[in-house]
Protein backbone atom coordinates (compact mmCIF):
# COMPACT_ATOMS: atom_id res chain seq x y z
CA UNK A 1 0.00 0.00 0.00
CA UNK A 2 2.78 2.47 0.87
CA UNK A 3 4.57 1.85 -2.42
CA UNK A 4 1.38 2.51 -4.41
CA UNK A 5 0.85 5.78 -2.48
CA UNK A 6 4.43 6.94 -3.24
CA UNK A 7 3.98 6.08 -6.92
CA UNK A 8 0.68 7.99 -7.05
CA UNK A 9 2.26 10.97 -5.35
CA UNK A 10 5.12 10.92 -7.86
CA UNK A 11 2.72 10.82 -10.80
CA UNK A 12 0.71 13.70 -9.36
CA UNK A 13 3.91 15.75 -8.86
CA UNK A 14 5.01 15.15 -12.46
CA UNK A 15 1.56 16.16 -13.71
CA UNK A 16 1.61 19.34 -11.62
CA UNK A 17 5.04 20.25 -12.99
CA UNK A 18 3.95 19.59 -16.57
CA UNK A 19 0.78 21.59 -16.07
CA UNK A 20 2.77 24.52 -14.72
CA UNK A 21 4.78 24.61 -17.94
CA UNK A 22 1.70 25.07 -20.11
CA UNK A 23 -0.36 27.11 -17.68
CA UNK A 24 -1.01 30.78 -18.57
CA UNK A 25 0.50 31.63 -15.19
CA UNK A 26 3.80 29.94 -16.05
CA UNK A 27 4.88 32.84 -18.25
CA UNK A 28 3.63 35.60 -15.95
CA UNK A 29 7.18 36.37 -14.80
CA UNK A 30 8.41 36.84 -18.37
CA UNK A 31 5.48 39.14 -19.12
CA UNK A 32 6.20 41.19 -16.01
CA UNK A 33 9.68 41.90 -17.34
CA UNK A 34 8.30 43.74 -20.36
CA UNK A 35 7.40 47.37 -20.04
CA UNK A 36 5.92 50.07 -22.20
CA UNK A 37 8.98 52.28 -21.86
CA UNK A 38 12.45 52.74 -20.39
CA UNK A 39 12.56 52.24 -16.61
CA UNK A 40 15.02 52.72 -13.75
CA UNK A 41 15.77 49.11 -12.89
CA UNK A 42 18.49 49.57 -10.29
CA UNK A 43 19.62 52.30 -7.91
CA UNK A 44 23.05 51.86 -6.33
CA UNK A 45 24.02 54.01 -3.38
CA UNK A 46 27.27 52.70 -2.03
CA UNK A 47 29.83 54.39 0.15
CA UNK A 48 31.63 57.51 -1.01
CA UNK A 49 31.27 57.97 -4.80
CA UNK A 50 30.03 54.43 -5.49
CA UNK A 51 26.69 55.40 -6.96
CA UNK A 52 24.96 54.29 -10.15
CA UNK A 53 21.62 54.16 -11.93
CA UNK A 54 20.72 51.28 -14.22
CA UNK A 55 18.11 51.78 -16.94
CA UNK A 56 16.33 48.87 -18.60
CA UNK A 57 14.67 48.64 -22.01
CA UNK A 58 11.85 46.16 -21.43
CA UNK A 59 10.16 47.00 -24.72
CA UNK A 60 10.40 45.09 -27.97
CA UNK A 61 11.99 48.03 -29.82
CA UNK A 62 15.25 49.96 -29.70
CA UNK A 63 15.01 53.11 -27.57
CA UNK A 64 16.56 56.44 -28.52
CA UNK A 65 18.03 57.64 -25.24
CA UNK A 66 18.31 61.23 -26.48
CA UNK A 67 14.58 61.58 -25.71
CA UNK A 68 15.30 61.02 -21.99
CA UNK A 69 16.80 62.91 -19.09
CA UNK A 70 17.68 61.91 -15.54
CA UNK A 71 17.02 64.62 -12.96
CA UNK A 72 18.27 64.86 -9.39
CA UNK A 73 16.12 66.60 -6.76
CA UNK A 74 17.87 67.30 -3.44
CA UNK A 75 16.23 66.24 -0.18
CA UNK A 76 12.95 65.38 -1.88
CA UNK A 77 11.84 63.27 1.05
CA UNK A 78 11.62 66.28 3.33
CA UNK A 79 8.33 68.18 3.44
CA UNK A 80 10.06 71.33 4.70
CA UNK A 81 13.25 71.39 2.66
CA UNK A 82 12.34 69.31 -0.39
CA UNK A 83 12.86 70.87 -3.80
CA UNK A 84 10.36 70.88 -6.64
CA UNK A 85 12.72 72.27 -9.28
CA UNK A 86 16.24 71.32 -10.26
CA UNK A 87 19.07 72.32 -12.52
CA UNK A 88 20.71 68.92 -12.05
CA UNK A 89 19.72 67.37 -15.36
CA UNK A 90 21.60 64.73 -17.33
CA UNK A 91 20.65 64.47 -21.01
CA UNK A 92 21.02 60.86 -22.10
CA UNK A 93 22.44 59.84 -25.46
CA UNK A 94 22.76 56.81 -27.67
CA UNK A 95 20.49 53.86 -28.41
CA UNK A 96 19.45 50.97 -26.17
CA UNK A 97 18.45 47.64 -27.67
CA UNK A 98 15.43 45.70 -26.35
CA UNK A 99 16.16 43.70 -23.20
CA UNK A 100 19.41 45.57 -22.51
CA UNK A 101 20.52 47.76 -19.62
CA UNK A 102 22.38 51.06 -19.53
CA UNK A 103 24.44 51.93 -16.44
CA UNK A 104 25.26 55.53 -15.52
CA UNK A 105 27.83 56.23 -12.83
CA UNK A 106 30.67 58.59 -11.90
CA UNK A 107 34.23 58.32 -13.15
CA UNK A 108 35.46 58.23 -9.54
CA UNK A 109 33.32 55.19 -8.61
CA UNK A 110 34.95 51.88 -7.75
CA UNK A 111 36.52 49.83 -10.54
CA UNK A 112 33.76 47.23 -10.11
CA UNK A 113 31.06 49.77 -10.98
CA UNK A 114 33.14 51.39 -13.72
CA UNK A 115 33.59 47.97 -15.35
CA UNK A 116 29.84 47.76 -16.07
CA UNK A 117 29.23 51.45 -16.83
CA UNK A 118 27.93 52.68 -20.16
CA UNK A 119 28.04 56.39 -19.36
CA UNK A 120 29.82 58.64 -16.87
CA UNK A 121 28.12 61.67 -15.31
CA UNK A 122 31.14 63.95 -15.61
CA UNK A 123 29.24 66.88 -14.07
CA UNK A 124 28.64 64.70 -10.99
CA UNK A 125 25.36 66.57 -10.48
CA UNK A 126 22.88 63.76 -11.07
CA UNK A 127 24.86 60.73 -9.89
CA UNK A 128 25.54 62.45 -6.58
CA UNK A 129 22.56 61.41 -4.50
CA UNK A 130 21.81 60.08 -1.05
CA UNK A 131 18.85 58.34 0.52
CA UNK A 132 16.48 61.30 0.70
CA UNK A 133 17.11 62.59 -2.83
CA UNK A 134 14.88 61.78 -5.75
CA UNK A 135 16.06 60.64 -9.19
CA UNK A 136 13.48 61.15 -11.92
CA UNK A 137 13.53 59.68 -15.41
CA UNK A 138 11.75 61.86 -17.98
CA UNK A 139 10.93 61.30 -21.62
CA UNK A 140 10.58 64.52 -23.58
CA UNK A 141 9.98 66.39 -20.31
CA UNK A 142 7.34 63.99 -18.93
CA UNK A 143 7.95 61.71 -15.94
Amino acid sequence: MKRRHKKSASIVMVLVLLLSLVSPFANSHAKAETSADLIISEYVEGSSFNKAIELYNGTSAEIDLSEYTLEHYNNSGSATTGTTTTNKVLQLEGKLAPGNTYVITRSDASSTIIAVADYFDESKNVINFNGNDQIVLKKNGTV
Side-chain angles (χ1 to χ4, degrees):
M1 185 91 171
K2 270 188 167 183
R3 181 173 236 169
R4 183 180 288 179
H5 180 66
K6 284 183 181 181
K7 186 175 182 180
S8 295
S10 296
I11 290 171
V12 169
M13 182 61 96
V14 168
L15 289 173
V16 167
L17 290 172
L18 288 173
L19 183 59
S20 72
L21 292 174
V22 295
S23 165
F25 300 107
N27 292 325
S28 64
H29 179 69
K31 290 178 185 173
E33 291 178 1
T34 62
S35 64
D37 210 336
L38 188 68
I39 62 168
I40 296 175
S41 54
E42 190 169 350
Y43 169 99
V44 176
E45 185 187 346
S47 61
S48 190
F49 303 124
N50 297 319
K51 300 169 187 323
I53 296 289
E54 179 189 78
L55 305 175
Y56 173 67
N57 178 357
T59 72
S60 60
E62 181 177 75
I63 288 181
D64 180 359
L65 294 175
S66 69
E67 297 177 359
Y68 297 84
T69 57
L70 274 178
E71 299 183 5
H72 174 183
Y73 293 80
N74 283 333
N75 302 320
S76 297
S78 170
T80 57
T81 61
T83 57
T84 57
T85 60
T86 187
N87 63 351
K88 297 178 179 186
V89 177
L90 179 63
Q91 178 68 52
L92 302 180
E93 54 188 52
K95 308 278 186 194
L96 186 58
N100 284 355
T101 59
Y102 188 83
V103 176
I104 303 159
T105 190
R106 300 166 51 113
S107 57
D108 50 1
S110 74
S111 59
T112 305
I113 296 173
I114 287 174
V116 297
D118 296 293
Y119 187 86
F120 296 102
D121 176 13
E122 295 301 339
S123 70
K124 300 176 184 170
N125 279 329
V126 175
I127 308 299
N128 190 33
F129 44 79
N130 61 39
N132 66 347
D133 295 343
Q134 196 174 52
I135 302 296
V136 177
L137 177 64
K138 289 186 178 181
K139 180 180 183 182
N140 297 320
T142 302
V143 177

